[in-house]
Structures are given as C-alpha cells and as structure tokens.
Amino acid sequence: MRRLCRRFRRATMLAALLLAQNSHAQAPDVHLSGFATLGAAVSDRDDMWFYRSGLNKPGSDRVDLGSDTLLGLQGSLKLGDSGDLTVQLLSRENTRGNYDPRIAWAFWRYDVSPALSIRLGRLRVPFFMLSDSLNVNYANPWVRPPEEVYSLNPFSELDGIDLLLRLPAGRLELELQPYFGAGRIKLINGGTAELRDVRGLNLALIGERFSVHLGHGSGRLAVDWGDPGFRALSTALRDAGGDLVTLAERLAGRKGQASFSSAGFQWDNGRQLLIGEIVRRRADRYVNSAHAWYLTAGQRIGAFTPYVGYARQRQDRPVAHATIAHPGLAAGFEAFNVSRNDAQRSITLGTRWDFARNAALKAELSRSRVARDAWGSYFPRDAGGTQPGGRTAHLLSISLDVVF
Amino acid sequence: MHPARHIVLSALLCLLLGSPAVRAEFIIFSSANSRVDALSHEQAEQLYLGRRSALPDGTPANLVDLPAGPLRDRFYLLLTGKNPGQIRAWWSRQVFSGRALPPREASSLEEMRRWVKGDPGALGYLPSGEATEGLKVLLRLP
C-alpha cells in the first residue's frame, strides 16, 4: 500500500512537472473525448457464426452484441506549445471473447513545424484508407467498414514512430506519412501473430469534397495458429516426415514476409457520397495472398443517409501448395487452406439516421456469398457440421454510434 | 418557375431569414495584440478543420468554438462548405486519429471574447454586428 502511495505521489509530481512546461501556466490543458457503439448483428443461418476475422471471437448468441459494440476513451494533455501526449483506451470483444480494455494509442507528438509532426509510441498503422477511424463508427457511413476489405489486415496498432508531413498542393493538401514499428495481435484459440520491422508510406491528397489515399507497407511476419485443426495437421505432417515437414514449416512460424497495399477515394458533396477502396495482401507463407475492393454510394435526405454497397474479396494464392499422397492428410491440409481464406462477396443496403447531435443510428442488411474454397466472414458452428464454403448468408446489423 | 415551388421557396426563405443565425455574417477575430493582421479564407478553413495548427506568423493557434448550436453550424458551413454532420464526422476523425485537438468550447459569446482577448494565439468567431472592442478582425465571412 505504501509503495503504491509512493508511486502515485511520484506520478503526480511527474504530471505536475509536465504541466509546468505549459507556457501559459493556466489550468492544465487536458482534452477528454470518447466514442462508443452499441451494436447487434443477427444472421439467418443457424449453422454458422458471423465473425470478424482477427478481431473478435466467433460464437455467442443468436443476436451477437460482440461484433460491433465498443467503447473508446481518449485523453490528450498539451505539453507546451508544440507537443502533446495522447492515450486511448479501447474496450471491445476481443479474440479471447472478453472486453478487457487495452491501450489502442499512447503516443507523444511533437510539432517540429506547422507542416511536420513526429509521433512516438503506440500508433494506428494506416494500412487502410479508414484505418484512422477504424473503431470510430460514428465517422463512417456504415455499421462497420466492409468486412471483405477490412478483414484482410487485422493489424491496426504499431509500436513505433511516424511522421506527418503536410504540404499544400494548390487548393488541396498532400499528407505524407512514413512509419516504422512492430505490432502484435492475439488470434482465436490462443494463437498469436506478429509483424516486425514494419515500414511503409501512406499518402493522402485531401480536397474539400474529394480525397485520395495510397498506401504501402511491408514487414516480417510471425504466426502461431492456436486452433485444434491446425495443431492436429501440423503434428501429422511432422510425423509423416520428408517434404511434409517443410510444408508444416510453411503454415506457421517466424520467417514470413508480408506486404499490404491499398488505394482508395472518398467523394462527398454534402448530399451524395461515394467511397471506394481496393487492397492487396501478399505473404510468402503462414497466411494467404488476396485482394479485395468495395464501392459504396450514399445520399443524404434530411437526417437520413441511405447507402448501398458492393464488396468482394478473392484469393490470389492459398497459404501453401502441396501434393500429398495420403488422402487423410491431403483432406486436412485442404481444410486448413479453406479455413484461412476469407473470400466472399456481398451486397449491403442500409441507412444512417443522424437523430441527434453526436449520435447516429444505423441499420443495414447484407447478403453475402462465401467463395467455394473459403470460410468468408463466417465460422462453422460445429467443427464437423456445415462448412461456410459456397453458402449464402443474410446479416442484419443495427448500431447506435456516439461521440462525446 | 412552378408556382408551388415558388411558395415552398418563399416559405423556406422566410424560415431561414427568421433565424438570426442565418442572417448573420461572421467575423473571425484575434486578440488586439496578436501579431497577425489578417487571415485568408483558406488559412482560416485549414485552421478550423485541424489541418493547420499555427497562425501565419508561426504562433501556435488556440481555436475557440461556440457551444454546439445553429450559430456554430452556420459558421462552419460558411467557412468550410460542410454541413453539421460532415463537420462532426470530420472532427471525430481528426481527434481520434491523433491528428489534431479540437477547438476549446466556450460556453457563450462573452466567454469566447474573454478567452481570445487574453491570448495572442487564440482565434474566435462572432456574428458580425457583435461588439469587438479589444479584438482584431482577421477575416469577414462570407
């Protein structure tokens, strides 16, 4: 207890010192804000679960409150005239099936000049056009960004450094964001995935109505799948010996190379909006290579913004190729490849209702068709039961988004 | 013009003109002892969209906002062309991506004037016609 008090006193002193740097010597300039979503999703399939790959845990109740519900709190403390500390806590269902809050942001920012900022700490990796507002559903038109595209890269945080360079380009603004760092996520069934030596560049051209985004990043990939299916397959391949040991080493390990590219645009004239994005993931092992895109059009009618969108993900290369003589092993290997493929296409119809300041209610209906050799964004309810491949599913999602 | 449409338009116009928020043009102002004498529309827009964090002379800008309401909405529409929904979505992106801190919200016009007077880096906005003693007008809108 005494140690805790001492630690607390030390923290208070440190905070006081930091605050004293504030040149105006006014009250500490602290800014607190937050965002939250209460969401529910229900599918017409009773043989498979809707699930957000790499983000949450499949399987709960018929009405799934876990896929979209979240709470984020953010605090920023201004340090002097050109620096600040920002911390964001996020609580949402994770791959372990609980809502333990985690630190989604924790960085120190320093403005070298009005055009250049440097940030150090835990940052958001700008792999996608909308990476920045990934959890801030209020800022997006849909209940959630299209799964076909946004499931292709579950790494959203990076412990590292980035630069934000803003350059005027006529009436437009060009933003360059180089970044470097490492990220780690937990997968279902106790698995983990890691990206190290991630380096990339994000480029955005921002206009009043129109903005364009281009991004590319790459790094070293380590994956440890935790699911029983993988464990059984890996053991069997190693036991079989020969080439199959090499094959097992291509399914999980610490020697992968992966890259991710994205290009997108947003157009919004105040009445109509159009958003599109295309992404590609390439990996030499452990995960498959695939590309995906979506296009969404919306129309504001008073407080309502109905929208319609199409999205598709296709596999370019499975996790691994192999010719296996043993039929049981061959089937197990095939099933593994299929379960690591999120390919599907969907059409979504929905509306946003801005019924109050800082709050929006959204409802959308998606019709998805999972590719034959994939699980898409679905997960079989029983391991030996219906497989998602080739199935059609309807998903109704309703969410209440707020910012405060 | 179709007579029905004419009536609708006139009604709309009455409705709009009836609200003081809409009739008002706005001024963007600083403290009288600010080192900046004027802002271009573009500079002001970038500041109030969080895309620029300093005044033209390099002084870090401390933006002040009016409380949420029709005056603030009208100001942003005039300055940025964005409707209230777009502005809120835009600012939530800026804030929650760690790009910018939002303007400080004053509880009244009076508080906004007081804050700006006491800080050479502060910027505020008022409907034109409001008292401006001790303040420097940097830009008139539209």
Side-chain angles (χ1 to χ4, degrees):
Chain A
M1 187 64 208
R2 199 174 298 161
R3 211 169 60 202
L4 202 72
C5 284
R6 213 179 309 145
R7 215 179 278 169
F8 179 73
R9 226 174 304 148
R10 214 177 301 154
T12 329
M13 263 165 63
L14 183 70
L17 265 172
L18 289 171
L19 292 177
Q21 285 192 353
N22 196 322
S23 58
H24 293 292
Q26 308 162 328
D29 204 342
V30 179
H31 184 87
L32 289 173
S33 42
F35 51 90
T37 293
L38 181 63
V42 57
S43 153
D44 65 343
R45 305 285 313 204
D46 52 16
D47 49 2
M48 50 197 209
W49 302 110
F50 169 67
Y51 130 91
R52 299 179 70 181
S53 169
L55 207 62
N56 68 4
K57 188 180 158 122
S60 61
D61 303 309
R62 180 115 177 89
V63 176
D64 190 355
L65 301 176
S67 52
D68 301 300
T69 301
L70 59 84
L71 171 68
L73 294 173
Q74 180 172 314
S76 286
L77 171 67
K78 250 189 164 174
L79 299 176
D81 278 336
S82 43
D84 63 78
L85 278 178
T86 297
V87 175
Q88 189 187 98
L89 287 174
L90 180 71
S91 169
R92 68 170 309 155
E93 191 192 79
N94 55 31
T95 49
R96 303 293 196 254
N98 62 50
Y99 282 79
D100 291 350
R102 62 166 208 272
I103 295 176
W105 294 104
F107 64 80
W108 169 71
R109 174 173 62 169
Y110 182 74
D111 293 330
V112 180
S113 78
L116 177 67
S117 308
I118 178 165
R119 300 190 294 182
L120 199 71
R122 178 163 295 177
L123 309 158
R124 177 65 42 82
V125 214
F127 282 133
F128 297 98
M129 174 166 68
L130 303 175
S131 284
D132 275 349
S133 50
L134 213 50
N135 299 308
V136 189
N137 293 317
Y138 178 85
N140 298 330
W142 326 269
V143 171
R144 72 187 78 83
E147 266 302 286
E148 285 78 2
V149 169
Y150 280 77
S151 72
L152 253 191
N153 193 337
F155 288 94
S156 60
E157 291 137 19
L158 194 73
D159 294 326
I161 183 168
D162 76 354
L163 297 177
L164 279 172
L165 180 63
R166 291 168 290 264
L167 302 167
R171 279 287 290 162
L172 305 174
E173 185 189 61
L174 179 67
E175 188 184 87
L176 293 168
Q177 183 184 8
Y179 54 90
F180 179 80
R184 185 186 165 88
I185 54 169
K186 290 177 174 173
L187 304 174
I188 52 170
N189 294 310
T192 57
E194 246 182 284
L195 268 184
R196 283 167 297 157
D197 296 334
V198 184
R199 58 198 78 201
L201 178 67
N202 193 43
L203 200 145
L205 197 60
I206 304 156
E208 196 176 299
R209 295 179 169 183
F210 190 70
S211 54
V212 181
H213 151 99
L214 284 174
H216 180 78
S218 60
R220 292 193 292 138
L221 176 70
V223 177
D224 177 23
W225 299 110
D227 53 295
F230 163 75
R231 296 253 181 249
L233 174 67
S234 178
T235 310
L237 289 173
R238 284 173 206 277
D239 288 349
D243 284 351
L244 297 184
V245 176
T246 326
L247 178 62
E249 284 164 1
R250 299 189 69 82
L251 307 186
R254 302 187 62 81
K255 292 183 190 149
Q257 286 287 338
S259 73
F260 197 80
S261 317
S262 59
F265 73 93
Q266 294 178 81
W267 178 79
D268 184 343
N269 71 355
R271 296 189 61 79
Q272 287 93 20
L273 57 93
L274 197 63
I275 310 177
E277 187 171 5
I278 180 161
V279 302
R280 188 178 68 177
R281 169 169 95 190
R282 284 188 148 180
D284 65 348
R285 58 194 78 188
Y286 313 151
V287 297
N288 72 345
S289 297
H291 68 273
W293 62 274
Y294 67 82
L295 194 65
T296 296
Q299 166 85 44
R300 286 194 182 83
I301 305 167
F304 290 89
T305 312
Y307 54 87
V308 57
Y310 182 80
R312 179 159 206 178
Q313 182 186 129
R314 298 176 102 155
Q315 176 170 265
D316 298 323
R317 208 180 60 83
V319 179
H321 285 290
T323 318
I324 302 174
H326 187 283
L329 262 186
F333 172 65
E334 180 53 28
F336 172 82
N337 268 339
V338 167
S339 66
R340 266 67 183 171
N341 180 1
D342 289 348
Q344 70 173 21
R345 58 181 200 264
S346 72
I347 183 154
T348 299
L349 205 68
T351 189
R352 172 192 176 115
W353 177 30
D354 284 283
F355 67 98
R357 203 173 260 276
N358 301 334
L361 192 68
K362 298 168 184 167
E364 67 178 37
L365 182 67
S366 290
R367 177 190 168 87
S368 310
R369 182 162 171 91
V370 179
R372 287 187 188 287
D373 55 349
W375 277 12
S377 46
Y378 286 86
F379 202 90
R381 289 208 182 189
D382 303 307
T386 311
Q387 296 298 298
R391 313 274 167 189
T392 300
H394 295 86
L395 186 74
L396 177 68
S397 311
I398 295 174
S399 75
L400 170 67
D401 301 325
V402 296
V403 287
F404 51 93
Chain B
M1 188 185 281
H2 194 275
R5 190 179 284 181
H6 194 84
I7 292 167
V8 171
L9 264 181
S10 313
L12 256 176
L13 215 61
C14 289
L15 210 73
L16 290 175
L17 290 176
S19 126
V22 175
R23 202 181 324 139
E25 295 186 343
F26 282 83
I27 55 155
I28 294 181
F29 64 92
S30 65
S31 140
N33 48 24
S34 156
R35 281 181 293 167
V36 174
D37 292 321
L39 278 179
S40 70
H41 188 113
E42 208 173 322
Q43 288 167 334
E45 182 180 346
Q46 288 178 340
L47 282 162
Y48 271 96
L49 287 179
R51 278 155 57 184
R52 165 198 272 268
S53 58
L55 300 178
D57 71 332
T59 312
N62 294 319
L63 303 182
V64 185
D65 244 344
L66 284 176
L71 271 180
R72 177 156 118 188
D73 292 345
R74 178 66 184 162
F75 167 74
Y76 275 97
L77 188 65
L78 275 177
L79 183 65
T80 67
K82 291 186 194 291
N83 62 40
Q86 283 176 295
I87 284 293
R88 288 194 298 274
W90 172 272
W91 264 108
S92 45
R93 247 178 225 179
Q94 299 300 304
V95 171
F96 297 119
S97 66
R99 274 181 166 63
L101 294 178
R104 250 174 107 195
E105 193 177 296
S107 60
S108 64
L109 295 177
E110 204 30 64
E111 188 168 58
M112 177 181 259
R113 275 198 202 95
R114 208 169 55 240
W115 284 359
V116 174
K117 263 185 201 166
D119 177 359
L123 285 186
Y125 53 88
L126 289 172
S128 48
E130 289 282 334
T132 56
E133 307 93 75
L135 305 173
K136 193 193 280 183
V137 177
L138 302 182
L139 177 68
R140 288 175 195 282
L141 289 175

